Each structure stands twice: as structure tokens, then as C-alpha cells.
Amino acid sequence: MAQPGDRAYTILLSHLHKPTSPLPLDTLQSLITHFLSRTATPSPLCATVISAPLFRPFSHAKLTSLTTAFRHAVHARLQVLKEEPKSLLTQSLSVRLNLWARAVVAGLNGGQGVIRLVGAGGVLLGLDDLRGELSAGRRSWTARGRAEDEAVIALAEVMDVYGAQRDDAWEKEFRPETEHGEADVLSLSLLFACQFTSHIDRERLTALPLRVLVTHLMHTVEHAFMSGRFLQSLASSCSMGADQKLSLASDQSKRERPSLPYGGSSSVRQISQLSIDLRTLSSSTVFTSIPLLSRTVAQILPLLVETRPQDGWEALEDVLRQLKVMASAANTHWSLSPLSTVKDSDNLIAADSKEIAKTLWNVLKYLLFATVMVSQACLTSVVYARQPPGAPSAESLALLVLDILQHLSIVAPAGASGFAELKKLFYTALDILSADPSLSDEFVRGLSRAGSMGLSSSSSSSRLTPYQSSLQSVRLSCIEQLVPVLSPSVIESHVFPLCSLYLNDSTDRDVFENAHSVVLALFAAHARKHAECRLSTSSGPVFIEKLVPFYAQCLLENSAEDKLNTPQLRLAYASLVSSAAITSESLAFYCLLLLDDLFSAPTTDAPRRHRLHLTFVSTLSSLSLHLLVRALERIRAVVAEAEGTEREEIVNEVFKQIMEGVGDGEKEYAMRWWVENEKFFQGGKKGDELVNAGNVKRKGKEVAARL
């Protein structure tokens, strides 16, 4: 075991006492780990390490080596203790390691706050690594508890010293700074604090000024993304080459001087400001720690709301507003660039710009993921919490989240096409907002105005740029979820006019399908309200009822090739008939007549006619007994005209509707009708696929006998 008098130990001390050392950081780290782990009284060495001028000015590499040295020392000490000879009087392994670790933490006392923070954090991480091998004890008296206390106190001290805005130039002159301007001291300290906070007990964390901590963390995140202005040079850095491919790597207004004094024109190389900004941003220490910073903010916010509700709710609003500023800035700069009009970026971006485009996309994804993580923590914090007096409402916070997601639709549109966490955040925000119908109405009015701006009834989705398309998809997805709580006036004057722009144009599939989903949501909500007797019929038909003939015709127009596919058409038309039948049997019958007229027309081609036949079958579950009788007879005629696999598919779908779709009041008649026509349908029915057809036949005969 090394002793303080050993030559190697003396050499280490001599290096620590100098402001510079010829030894690399890895070597110093290994030496510190070695000697800390091999002495039973590590406090003197620990005190020497944290006061060493060698680790000033601060840098991420230096502080990382210190954290790693203390962390590895815990592991190494455990191995040393295991190799020591034992006797009956020898204390247990966990007690001896605990005593040693407490001595290490004691050696941190009186040191500079940043060094104490990373030192205590390293010990904490090491002990956490070995928690399975250490016996449990009173947490507050263990070395782990001491390390947590020291980390919390050191972090509070760092925020107090470096967090306040100081204008005194004399004081700044003598304040320790980071090496080569890598990052400010507070931001650098927070990067390491984020590694430790998840390992610190919640009760100890509450001793910190949590709102101040959240403010500093978000300031660091904001600084990492240049407040969302990292794309401000995007438009000026784009140029179209002779091959009609977009270049992001050149800027006519920015030229790099030739490396040689007599270099010719060939030595002049253009470098875009965008590539400089992205390279600087993506290579920074703070940016690479964005996931860690975001996770810590998401950890602290619920704790703040729980322990200090007033500060917590106000902090949530401040955080979301900061995220909105960054997202809005990125969205604005993106929309002004040629990239917002590019549909196939892989094939339309020049080869020399592929790497820049990849970096740009990576930065945008970092922004989206950080936003989703923090925003989800904000909404989760308020779902089951009581709103303090004067604090922002949960609905207003949800509204901020939805605004942010609209801005970030340039990365990934929220809703059905988003990844799991994004969809969870999106629908959570909409659920919270729907609790306030008046605010929902106001929000949808704004969406409609923004979505209709610059468009007319003759406009089509084919004129939408990819940027506009993603925005419109998110708007329509928002409206669809809020339909049940919207007022009739908003539906008539704002929702349907926006949807009508895209109902007959399938060029942009997302917008086209979303528009139809919104209209179907209108009918479903109307049917639900009608069933709950929440509609007044004294003033005549409401707008949705008047809309049935129009939308029925619209769906049939979209039954052609490259419009709605067969499952979409069947589901949409069945939903329309179901909604119409609840309101009025005559409306449902009208929808059937329109459908019958179209597939009976001689101009309808065979594939489309088959889709319409299947659509007609899909409406059976929505019909009353009176209409079902007439519909089944029409279907019999359809089957008589069909041949081969088409006939078989129609018969199978009819059977499925009878067994699984029609209501209890209509099922007996439908089953009797099936039994009566069994021989007629024989050629189209596959016994194994019809849910035990033999049992069904016997049951049908029993029902027929009773009737």
C-alpha cells in the first residue's frame, strides 16, 4: 500500500501543486485514483486535489477527469478492501468502505464550489454503482448521504456565485473562468450537476432553490440552441446549382481568403455561414449534453410543483414560453428558406451539402426531443395538481404546448404520424385544453384563420409546400380531437370551410385524409349529442344534418382510383350513414340511394363498382330494420350480378356484417334472410372462414322457426 512518503506519491503532489503539468490528464486521473484508493486516510490527498491549481481554469475535460478519478477510486477501494487479510475483529466490507468514503467527502470541505461539486458527484456515482454490494443503513449517516449533502451544498454555492448577473468589471477580472471560453462556469457546472441529480434523494433536492435551478438549466439549453436562431443564415446559405440541386455549403457573400498569398482563383473556397454556425453549435460541450439537461429539467419541474406550487406553476409557464421562442425562431427561419419547399431532400440536395443537411437535421431533432421531454413533464405536473390562486391555468399551459408543436411540425408533425412520446404529449395537451370549451373555440378559430390564409375555395393541397402541408396536418389533427367540445357556430364558420379546401384533392395524402377525419368526427359528435338528447330540434335541422347530402356525394366522388382506398371509403360511408340514421331514417335512405345510383350507372368501371358494392355492405350495421330489409334485397341482386372472387368477397362481408355488425333488434331477421338465401350464396361462402358456419346455420334455422 502506498504511503505518503513514497516517491510516486511525492511526484503526484508536486504535479498537483503546479499550474501546469507535462503529464496528460489520463495519467493524472489514474494516479489520483490509485493513491486515493490505497490509503485509509484519504482526506489530506483529497484536500490537495481539490485545491490544486492544475485544474484551473476550468474545462470540461479537467472536471470530467476529476469526476472519473473519484468514481473509479470507490471501485478500486472496494477491490483493495476485498484483498486485505481478515480476522474476527475485522469490520464488514460495507462499513470499511463507508468509513473511507466519508473521509473522502470530508476532504472536500473548504474547497472551491465547482471542484467540490464534481468530487462529491464522483463519489456519489461510485457508491451508486456499488449499491448492490453494500449493506443498507441509516441513509443520512452513510457516506452516500454525506456525498449527496455535499453535492447539494456545492451546487447551491455555485449558483449563488456564478448565477447572479455581475456588472463589476473588477470582480469579473478575478473570477475563475473556463479554459479557452469553452462555456461559462455555471453552464459547465450544471452539466456535471445533471449527472448527479437523478441519484440524489428528493428531500435533499428540495433544499435547493429549485426555481432558480430550472431558470439556469433552461438558460443553458436556450444558449445551446442559440435561442432558436441557429437557422438564421439558412436562407442566405442556399443556392441552386447547375444540376438543379440545392447547395447549403456555399454563400456568395462569404469567402474564405486564400491560404497562400499568391494563390489563384482556384484557391478561393466558399464556406456558408450556416455550415460555420452548425459546426460550432453541434461540437459544443453544452449541445452534446442537451439530453442530460432536458432530463434534469423534466425531473426538477414536478418536484417544484409538488413542494412549492406557486413557484412551480409560474416556472412551468416560463419554461414553455422559452421553448416556444426557440421553436418559433427555428420555424420562421426554416419557412423562409428553399428547404421548406423541398419534398425529396435526399435527391434534391447537392452532394457537397449532404453532411451539412445531416447536421442540420440532427440539431432539429435534438430541439424536438428536448422540447417533448420538458413539455411532457410540464403537463404531467399539472394534470392531478390543484392550480394555485393567480397561477396560469392548465389549459393555458396546454395551449402553449400545442403552439410549440405546430412550430416544430417542420421536424415531425404531431398526431398519428409522430413517434410515441410526441403523440402522447400532443393528445395530453388536447385533452387538457378540451376542458375549457371557450378556449378551445378560440384556439380553433386561430387555426382556421391561419390554415385558410392565402387560400381560396379553388385552392388545392397540390399547391401546398411540404412546410405548409405539415402545418396543415397538425392543425387538422388538433381540430379533430376538439370537435366534441366546439360550438356549432365555430364548426359552421371555421371548421368545415377549412376542411372543404382539401376534401376532393388527394395530392397530399396526409392533409386529404385529415380533412376527411375531421368531417367524420363532426358527424360522430353530432350523433353522440343526438343520442344523449342534447340537441334542440325546435329550430329545424342543424348544420351537420344539412351537410349529409353534400358529404355523401363527396365520398362517392372520392371512390375513384387514387382517392380514398377501399377500407377508408367503407369506414367513412358507414360512419356517415350511421350518423344520418340516428338523426333521420330518410337521410340514411338518401345515402343508400346515392350509392345505389352510382354503382348501377353504366359509366362506373368494374373495380370502382366492386368497391361501391363493399361500401354498401358496410352500411348494414347502421340501418334500422325497415331499411335493412330493403338493403338486403338489393345486396341479393348485387351478388347475383357478381362473379368469381368478387362475389365470394361480397358474400363473406355480408355474413360478417350479419354476425358481428347488425344490432340485436335486426339480427334475427338478417339471420333468417341468410338461411333462406343459403343455397343461393353457396358458391361464395368459404366454410372455414365464416366462424363455424355449421353452427351459424343451425342457429339461423332456429331463429327462422321462431319467427
Side-chain angles (χ1 to χ4, degrees):
M1 182 175 294
Q3 298 297 328
D6 290 351
R7 177 174 174 76
Y9 185 82
T10 304
I11 292 174
L12 171 62
L13 293 180
S14 67
H15 281 281
L16 291 176
H17 289 147
K18 297 177 182 178
T20 59
S21 172
L23 296 178
L25 277 176
D26 289 346
T27 302
L28 288 170
Q29 172 191 311
S30 300
L31 288 172
I32 293 171
T33 297
H34 174 79
F35 286 110
L36 274 178
S37 64
R38 293 187 174 273
T39 175
T41 56
S43 296
L45 176 57
C46 183
T48 302
V49 170
I50 67 169
S51 61
L54 185 63
F55 298 102
R56 308 284 187 85
F58 302 123
S59 72
H60 189 267
K62 292 177 181 178
L63 296 179
T64 299
S65 68
L66 272 178
T67 302
T68 306
F70 281 95
R71 185 176 189 174
H72 287 180
V74 178
H75 290 261
R77 182 60 182 175
L78 180 63
Q79 295 304 316
V80 170
L81 293 176
K82 287 180 177 179
E83 296 170 2
E84 287 182 347
K86 299 178 183 179
S87 67
L88 292 176
L89 299 179
T90 302
Q91 294 175 309
S92 68
L93 187 66
S94 60
V95 169
R96 286 180 289 157
L97 181 62
N98 186 61
L99 290 173
W100 174 87
R102 288 178 62 179
V104 172
V105 175
L108 299 174
N109 290 335
Q112 203 277 343
V114 177
I115 302 294
R116 282 166 43 221
L117 174 65
V118 299
V123 175
L124 178 59
L125 292 176
L127 292 173
D128 195 69
D129 294 338
L130 303 175
R131 64 186 181 276
E133 299 187 47
L134 304 178
S135 60
R138 290 182 60 191
R139 186 183 183 91
S140 59
W141 292 102
T142 62
R144 181 188 173 92
R146 293 288 182 87
E148 290 182 12
D149 288 338
E150 191 64 37
V152 167
I153 294 171
L155 178 57
E157 180 182 316
V158 169
M159 288 193 294
D160 183 60
V161 173
Y162 299 104
Q165 294 294 329
R166 302 178 186 270
D167 299 323
D168 194 326
W170 184 88
E171 191 172 2
K172 287 184 177 181
E173 183 72 20
F174 289 92
R175 190 191 309 172
E177 299 294 342
T178 55
E179 195 171 64
H180 307 306
E182 182 179 10
D184 64 274
V185 178
L186 181 59
S187 296
L188 202 56
S189 302
L190 290 175
L191 299 187
F192 288 92
C194 290
Q195 300 177 31
F196 317 139
T197 52
S198 61
H199 302 278
I200 297 176
D201 185 67
R202 285 168 54 91
E203 293 182 2
R204 287 188 170 89
L205 285 178
T206 56
L208 288 167
L210 294 179
R211 185 171 182 183
V212 176
L213 176 57
V214 168
T215 300
H216 291 322
L217 288 169
M218 285 304 301
H219 176 77
T220 305
V221 171
E222 197 173 23
H223 180 73
F225 286 110
M226 301 169 61
S227 299
R229 296 190 297 272
F230 56 89
L231 295 181
Q232 62 184 348
S233 57
L234 177 59
S236 61
S237 298
C238 294
S239 60
M240 191 65 71
D243 56 355
Q244 295 302 305
K245 290 193 174 184
L246 195 63
S247 174
L248 311 177
S250 62
D251 188 347
Q252 297 297 331
S253 62
K254 301 286 183 182
R255 290 180 180 272
E256 193 178 74
R257 295 182 180 276
S259 57
L260 298 175
Y262 302 104
S265 59
S266 61
S267 64
V268 178
R269 183 167 56 91
Q270 299 177 7
I271 298 180
S272 69
Q273 184 62 41
L274 175 67
S275 58
I276 296 174
D277 291 342
L278 291 178
R279 184 166 60 244
T280 302
L281 187 152
S282 60
S283 61
S284 71
T285 303
V286 178
F287 179 80
T288 55
S289 300
I290 284 295
L292 198 57
L293 289 164
S294 305
R295 187 191 67 186
T296 305
V297 175
Q299 174 197 358
I300 298 298
L301 283 174
L303 182 60
L304 179 57
V305 171
E306 179 183 337
T307 56
R308 300 157 201 170
Q310 190 69 42
D311 284 347
W313 284 65
E314 293 174 359
L316 296 180
E317 184 178 39
D318 292 342
V319 166
L320 291 176
R321 290 195 183 281
Q322 285 179 278
L323 293 174
K324 182 178 177 180
V325 168
M326 290 190 288
S328 176
N331 181 287
T332 299
H333 295 310
W334 178 273
S335 66
L336 297 175
S337 73
L339 270 180
S340 65
T341 63
V342 174
K343 291 185 177 181
D344 187 1
S345 58
D346 291 337
N347 295 327
L348 293 180
I349 292 182
D352 64 343
S353 299
K354 295 286 187 181
E355 193 63 32
I356 299 176
K358 181 180 178 180
T359 303
L360 186 156
W361 193 246
N362 187 54
V363 173
L364 286 173
K365 286 193 294 185
Y366 263 62
L367 178 59
L368 176 63
F369 295 152
T371 300
V372 169
M373 185 180 298
V374 174
S375 299
Q376 186 66 53
C378 290
L379 295 189
T380 303
S381 300
V382 301
V383 169
Y384 300 107
R386 178 177 297 180
Q387 177 188 349
S393 66
E395 292 79 10
S396 65
L397 297 178
L399 201 56
L400 281 172
V401 171
L402 292 173
D403 287 340
I404 293 169
L405 294 183
Q406 286 186 73
H407 292 311
L408 292 181
S409 62
I410 59 176
V411 188
S417 58
F419 58 92
E421 291 302 317
L422 176 59
K423 289 191 286 187
K424 178 181 177 181
L425 173 64
F426 179 67
Y427 291 117
T428 300
L430 288 170
D431 284 344
I432 295 174
L433 179 60
S434 64
D436 188 337
S438 61
L439 194 58
S440 298
D441 279 349
E442 181 182 347
F443 176 59
V444 169
R445 289 191 194 98
L447 292 180
S448 177
R449 285 191 291 268
S452 303
M453 191 176 298
L455 300 175
S456 64
S457 59
S458 60
S459 298
S460 67
S461 61
S462 59
R463 299 182 183 181
L464 295 177
T465 64
Y467 166 77
Q468 294 171 328
S469 174
S470 61
L471 269 179
Q472 212 71 312
S473 294
V474 173
R475 289 168 183 151
L476 291 170
S477 295
C478 289
I479 294 173
E480 179 185 354
Q481 300 302 315
L482 294 174
V483 160
V485 300
L486 296 179
S487 63
S489 60
V490 170
I491 290 174
E492 183 172 358
S493 60
H494 291 85
V495 175
F496 182 72
L498 177 63
C499 294
S500 64
L501 298 173
Y502 309 106
L503 290 176
N504 289 300
D505 188 351
S506 60
T507 307
D508 191 311
R509 293 298 302 187
D510 286 339
V511 177
F512 172 69
E513 292 174 2
N514 281 332
H516 279 277
S517 294
V518 173
V519 176
L520 290 173
L522 294 177
F523 284 109
H526 173 74
R528 191 179 307 113
K529 291 177 181 179
H530 194 283
E532 296 171 357
C533 300
R534 292 162 53 192
L535 293 177
S536 174
T537 58
S538 58
S539 58
V542 297
F543 173 72
I544 300 300
E545 295 172 7
K546 297 176 183 178
L547 198 61
V548 170
F550 164 81
Y551 192 60
Q553 187 63 46
C554 176
L555 287 177
L556 295 181
E557 291 173 359
N558 283 284
S559 64
E561 193 71 26
D562 297 328
K563 296 285 187 176
L564 292 171
N565 58 40
T566 302
Q568 289 173 334
L569 178 64
R570 294 180 62 183
L571 179 61
Y573 211 85
S575 300
L576 173 65
V577 172
S578 177
S579 177
I582 291 176
T583 304
S584 168
E585 189 176 271
S586 60
L587 280 176
F589 184 57
Y590 175 79
C591 295
L592 295 181
L593 286 179
L594 283 180
L595 187 56
D596 186 35
D597 290 344
L598 184 59
F599 65 64
S600 300
T603 55
T604 304
D605 58 80
R608 186 181 185 187
R609 180 178 290 108
H610 181 60
R611 285 197 297 273
L612 294 172
H613 287 162
L614 294 175
T615 302
F616 193 91
V617 172
S618 298
T619 65
L620 294 179
S621 60
S622 306
L623 303 179
S624 65
L625 181 59
H626 175 67
L627 290 181
L628 182 65
V629 173
R630 305 182 67 173
L632 289 175
E633 290 307 313
R634 184 67 184 95
I635 286 174
R636 191 182 190 282
V638 166
V639 174
E641 298 172 0
E643 298 179 352
T645 58
E646 291 186 354
R647 173 189 173 97
E648 182 178 350
E649 184 178 7
I650 294 172
V651 170
N652 291 340
E653 289 299 320
V654 170
F655 184 85
K656 184 178 179 180
Q657 283 289 316
I658 291 175
M659 295 305 301
E660 301 177 6
V662 299
D664 293 338
E666 294 79 24
K667 188 176 292 268
E668 289 191 359
Y669 173 81
M671 292 180 67
R672 184 177 65 183
W673 175 86
W674 175 268
V675 172
E676 291 174 353
N677 291 276
E678 180 185 9
K679 292 183 179 180
F680 177 75
F681 292 148
Q682 197 81 33
K685 182 170 71 69
K686 295 191 292 183
D688 293 340
E689 296 181 0
L690 295 184
V691 194
N692 199 349
N695 294 335
V696 171
K697 178 166 57 174
R698 286 193 296 273
K699 185 176 179 180
K701 289 181 178 180
E702 292 174 2
V703 173
R706 290 201 304 270
L707 294 176

